[in-house]
Amino acid sequence: MKKFVNDPKNFTREYVEGVAAAHPDQLRLLDDALSLVRADSPKDGKVAIITGGGSGHLPTFLGYVGYGLCDGVAIGDVFQSPGADQIVAAAEATQSGAGVLFLFGHYSGDVMNFDMAAEILEMSDIESKTVLVTDDVASAPRDNWQKRRGVAGLFFAYKLAGAKAEAMGSLEEVARVAEKTVAATRSMGVALSPCIIPEVGKPTFEIGENEMEIGMGIHGERGIRRGELKPADEVTAELMDAIINDFPLDSGAEVAVLVNGLGSTPLEELYIVYRKIDQLLGDKGIKVYRNYVGEFATSMEMGGFSITLLKLDDELKELLDAPAQSPFFIQPGPGGIAGGR
Amino acid sequence: MAVKFEQVAAVLGKLAEEVANKKEWLVELDSAIGDGDLGLTMDRGFSALANAASEYSEDDIGKFFMTGGLTFNKVAPSTMGTLVSTGIMRMGKEWKGKTELTPEDVVAGLKAAANGIMERGKGQLGDKTALDALIPAVEALEESLKSEEMREALKKAHQTAVEGFEKTKEMQSKLGRASWFQEGSIGKPDPGAGLMTVIFSVLAKDDLL
């Protein structure tokens, strides 16, 4: 293993302390739980959005704590769920009586700990709702979509629910927007090479020099098929077919596109992928309203990328356009930098 | 017979000791079909719970278990740790405001714990989990109490838990990490069910309840 770490056991705490030290104006690390919250929280009357999950996916999850996004995050070890106490601590530090939305990816360990946190908050009369992100088309068939895993589509759920909460929407409204966003989001990924969990020290799976795995999850979960590596355009077309057919999307639809690198894929390659997506959508008469290309939900140094499409309507477009700012993500408002925050 | 917090604290103290004694055994069971940390996390969890009990200065049993669930989860946030924490919290809810427990209360608390674990873990009888020892043991306890004293009934419950644990050997894991072993899990008993036998062995001790 070749990594810039100290004692691998301290990997999570040390990188979180680094993030907190770098961005004290935006984030606050809680004293007795490994959870980060917005420096300006709690905000009076605002629904607090709390997320969380294992480490190894930066900018997911903690990178989306900020203005117009989430209010707090509970941080687990690499690929491990955070504990319920961390979730409770993040919720208590950010809620202001307007309720708490738990918004996170669908993984059994996380579900258990967030459910338990909800039960604990209920004892102190803090109302919470949970919305699970289930966007990975490869992880379960269409008619079972609520069993799917959450991957890069988390970003859109944070962005839109976050905008609704920032606009002082009620807990009902923020949860409704989160649910609507999840139902309109589809992702699929492809992996070329594994990652190494620091505490384990060896690759999470093996894959041949000329092989790719279509549909692999962000922890190396088995995908749909493994086969010979094909040119970027062909791989992109295969993922896009699966995603578009899953909706389905007709001519005239408007979408937001997210091309996400899994950790060690160069931006150049991500833009080669975006080029093909733009062509394919253009051919089908589907309009790209906004696009995002970069690293949003990684898997340490895994090689590969994922594509996420969000089908938009007027409400979702307006929320997508709202300004947002965190140490890892900045989007100016409709008026550009000057009109934004 | 009614149980006061003092006795509850004594049981939790003994339970922490016994889980520590069985730590290696639990690690072995879990290494065969899981990631091997069950013994360590349970040792941490039950010892934290026993410490909290020895420092608890009130007599409200329900209140202790409500906060005890969180105490346990803090040091044992693993899957099994979260399930056990849920069980502890549900006992607390069931015993809310009580300063002593009748045998019926004990049964109701254990049932609430089993239901909580079932709900949170989304498990059923036969999935090769802790529930395969816990549920039959609680049922045996309730049944025996109709004709017998608490002491005898707890012994029956312990015996039933051990039988349930043995039966998990023949089952195939349907939940959690162990389910990745599929048919490979057959022949190996479930570590969570093993933990339940440890818990009931302590409850059945002569000098405690």
Side-chain angles (χ1 to χ4, degrees):
Chain A
M1 174 175 74
K2 225 172 158 187
K3 273 183 189 289
F4 295 112
V5 294
N6 300 305
D7 183 341
K9 280 197 176 57
N10 301 330
F11 179 85
T12 302
R13 173 154 286 278
E14 288 181 357
Y15 92 80
V16 173
E17 284 176 358
V19 170
H23 307 286
D25 53 329
Q26 295 184 66
L27 298 173
R28 187 169 83 237
L29 178 57
L30 298 184
D31 289 334
D32 47 4
L34 200 57
S35 301
L36 284 166
V37 300
R38 273 168 65 171
D40 62 354
S41 61
K43 202 169 157 187
D44 238 14
K46 180 185 173 300
V47 171
I49 301 179
I50 304 299
T51 189
S55 292
H57 305 299
L58 278 181
T60 294
F61 299 83
L62 67 78
Y64 300 110
V65 173
Y67 180 87
L69 300 161
C70 300
D71 296 83
V73 59
I75 302 152
D77 275 331
V78 177
F79 300 174
Q80 306 281 324
S81 168
D85 65 302
Q86 291 173 264
I87 300 163
V88 169
E92 283 177 342
T94 55
Q95 68 90 24
S96 62
V100 175
L101 177 69
F102 288 151
L103 183 58
F104 56 99
H106 185 205
Y107 295 95
S108 60
D110 297 309
V111 171
M112 254 187 239
N113 280 291
F114 274 94
D115 281 357
M116 177 144 171
E119 196 171 336
I120 294 164
L121 291 179
E122 198 188 314
M123 291 182 205
S124 348
D125 291 320
I126 298 172
E127 192 190 353
S128 69
K129 285 188 181 293
T130 293
V131 176
L132 297 174
V133 178
T134 55
D135 58 314
D136 188 354
V137 169
S139 58
R142 175 72 203 129
D143 49 9
N144 233 344
W145 69 275
Q146 278 156 323
K147 294 228 162 94
R148 287 174 173 172
R149 297 183 294 249
V151 288
L154 281 158
F155 165 74
F156 285 130
Y158 294 149
K159 176 71 192 70
L160 275 59
K164 190 71 188 174
E166 211 64 64
M168 301 310 250
S170 66
L171 180 56
E172 295 284 332
E173 290 170 319
V174 176
R176 178 187 60 78
V177 164
E179 275 167 4
K180 181 176 170 181
T181 305
V182 171
T185 304
R186 309 280 189 282
S187 300
M188 188 133 124
V190 54
L192 294 184
S193 60
C195 67
I196 298 172
I197 300 171
E199 264 202 271
V200 177
K202 49 179 202 273
T204 45
F205 60 87
E206 284 178 25
I207 186 163
E209 184 60 27
N210 291 309
E211 280 187 320
M212 64 177 177
E213 182 153 332
I214 299 270
M216 179 169 270
I218 55 173
H219 310 94
E221 296 97 333
R222 196 173 295 172
I224 289 174
R225 72 174 190 90
R226 187 175 277 209
E228 189 193 339
L229 177 59
K230 295 278 171 48
D233 283 0
E234 279 179 49
V235 181
T236 303
E238 182 173 347
L239 297 185
M240 286 295 283
D241 270 351
I243 293 170
I244 290 174
N245 292 336
D246 197 83
F247 272 104
L249 286 176
D250 300 323
S251 173
E254 283 187 90
V255 295
V257 180
L258 170 64
V259 180
N260 169 55
L262 290 179
S264 65
T265 300
L267 272 172
E268 285 87 345
E269 293 174 29
L270 299 183
Y271 276 100
I272 290 175
V273 170
Y274 185 76
R275 170 183 172 273
K276 182 66 183 176
I277 294 173
D278 190 66
Q279 288 170 4
L280 287 169
L281 291 175
D283 291 347
K284 289 182 188 292
I286 298 166
K287 189 185 161 204
V288 179
Y289 182 74
R290 252 182 200 276
N291 69 75
Y292 300 87
V293 181
E295 287 187 346
F296 292 80
T298 61
S299 182
M300 306 289 296
E301 67 273 67
M302 192 189 277
F305 69 89
S306 65
I307 300 171
T308 302
L309 296 189
L310 165 65
K311 187 181 182 186
L312 294 164
D313 64 9
D314 288 344
E315 182 188 29
L316 297 186
K317 279 198 269 189
E318 192 186 326
L319 294 165
L320 188 62
D321 286 341
Q325 181 176 349
S326 81
F328 291 77
F329 177 76
I330 296 178
Q331 179 176 307
I337 294 285
R341 185 174 182 250
Chain B
M1 186 216 76
V3 181
K4 292 198 178 335
F5 186 76
E6 228 170 59
Q7 287 156 287
V8 171
V11 168
L12 292 176
K14 260 290 189 296
L15 182 53
E17 266 176 43
E18 193 56 21
V19 171
N21 289 338
K22 292 281 161 61
K23 186 164 83 178
E24 294 306 320
W25 179 66
L26 292 170
V27 166
E28 265 170 47
L29 289 178
D30 193 33
S31 300
I33 67 179
D35 55 6
D37 68 350
L38 185 77
L40 309 173
T41 52
M42 291 304 114
D43 183 26
R44 278 205 298 271
F46 282 104
S47 114
L49 190 64
N51 280 340
S54 67
E55 286 164 11
Y56 189 65
S57 55
E58 298 171 54
D59 54 2
D60 184 335
I61 299 174
K63 192 174 163 193
F64 172 78
F65 278 88
M66 292 241 254
T67 53
L70 195 53
T71 305
F72 193 101
N73 189 245
K74 228 173 201 169
V75 293
S78 66
T79 301
M80 193 61 203
T82 305
L83 291 172
V84 173
S85 308
T86 302
I88 295 169
M89 268 170 38
R90 292 297 171 90
M91 285 193 275
K93 274 192 181 170
E94 184 63 40
W95 296 336
K96 198 172 178 181
K98 287 190 192 293
T99 53
E100 28 177 73
L101 305 176
T102 64
E104 291 71 36
D105 289 332
V106 173
V107 170
L110 290 170
K111 271 189 176 170
N115 285 333
I117 291 173
M118 204 172 345
E119 193 184 300
R120 180 121 316 142
K122 303 188 169 61
Q124 299 292 332
L125 265 182
D127 286 351
K128 192 177 181 122
T129 68
L131 295 170
D132 292 309
L134 176 58
I135 292 176
V138 178
E139 282 170 357
L141 178 66
E142 188 174 27
E143 193 54 38
S144 311
L145 276 173
K146 287 179 185 161
S147 54
E148 284 165 296
E149 289 300 303
M150 190 65 171
R151 168 100 0 264
E152 277 312 302
L154 282 168
K155 287 194 167 142
K156 288 253 166 68
H158 174 226
Q159 198 187 328
T160 311
V162 172
E163 286 162 16
F165 164 70
E166 293 292 334
K167 280 187 200 152
T168 61
K169 272 186 199 165
E170 305 315 314
M171 298 175 180
Q172 181 176 331
S173 290
K174 299 206 176 72
L175 284 173
R177 204 181 288 255
S179 66
W180 300 352
F181 290 77
Q182 299 192 4
E183 292 86 5
S185 64
I186 296 175
K188 293 159 190 140
D190 180 66
L195 174 71
M196 293 302 142
T197 67
V198 177
I199 293 175
F200 278 94
S201 76
V202 172
L203 290 176
K205 272 190 200 309
D206 275 331
D207 51 340
L208 280 173
L209 284 174

